[in-house]
Each structure stands twice: as C-alpha cells, then as structure tokens.
Amino acid sequence: QVQLVESGGGLVQAGGSLRLSCAGSGRTLNSYIMGWFRRAPGKEREFVAAFSGTGGDPFYADSVKGRFTISRDNARNTVYLQMKALKPEDTAVYYCAARTGNSPLWSYWGQGTQVTVSS
C-alpha cells in the first residue's frame, strides 16, 4: 500500500507561483495513476490534474489548463504540481491521490496542503 505526503503549499499573491510535491512511500508511484484534487472552502472536492495512465499523458481541469502542470520524477518517487498565474479562486487544500490502473476509484490520498492566494 502506498502512502502519500504533500508539501509545498503556502500563501502567495495573485499572479504568483507555487510547486506542490507529493512524495510516495511504501510503493513506487510509477505503479499508480497519479492525480491532484482540491477542496475550496465551502465547496466539494474537485479534480485538478492527472495522468491518463501509469505512463500516460497529463490532462487538466479547464479552470487550470495552461497555468498548472503535473509532472513526475520516478527516481524521487514524487509527483509535482507546478502552479503559475495563481488566482484567489485557486485557494484550497490540495490533495495528491493515486489509483491502480484497473480501478476508477482514487483509493489513496495524502493529508493535503493548504494553498492560499491573496488578491
């Protein structure tokens, strides 16, 4: 079973950048399909970005397309979310998640990291 730990959140001004990290332990992350989700205050959790497969192409929510980039470093067993041109509406707790290729369910989650974008 894989364990996920996010880091890199913080307070940033609108227009700024942050890079979130998701470090895996227990299993190698390249065995999983990896993704990022977020939950804004008073809202439900929403999809942000993910890989289409264990070695697949990335895809993004429309709200972040062109501003966020998901990437992975298999040597470090880490997945990243580079966020640029941040907006106040990007304020949320960001979660890393993993699922196996034969299940549509995101079974493994990190504890989340807070991102706050000030206007």
Side-chain angles (χ1 to χ4, degrees), residues 28-82:
T28 56
L29 295 185
N30 59 11
S31 300
Y32 298 88
I33 298 170
M34 300 301 300
W36 287 93
F37 294 76
R38 67 187 182 187
R39 177 173 285 163
K43 296 186 177 181
E44 294 188 352
R45 186 172 60 200
E46 64 174 1
F47 166 78
V48 175
F51 292 102
S52 60
T54 55
D57 293 330
F59 62 103
Y60 303 91
D62 288 344
S63 59
V64 307
K65 200 173 295 183
R67 300 187 298 121
F68 289 12
T69 303
I70 186 172
S71 63
R72 64 198 310 162
D73 184 338
N74 291 333
R76 297 181 183 271
N77 209 34
T78 300
V79 174
Y80 302 98
L81 185 68
Q82 177 69 53

Side-chain angles (χ1 to χ4, degrees), residues 8 27 50 63 67 75 91 93 105:
R27 295 280 180 89
S63 59
R67 300 187 298 121
T91 294
V93 178
L105 299 178

Side-chain angles (χ1 to χ4, degrees), residues 17-29:
S17 300
L18 280 175
R19 188 179 77 160
L20 306 183
S21 299
C22 172
S25 62
R27 295 280 180 89
T28 56
L29 295 185

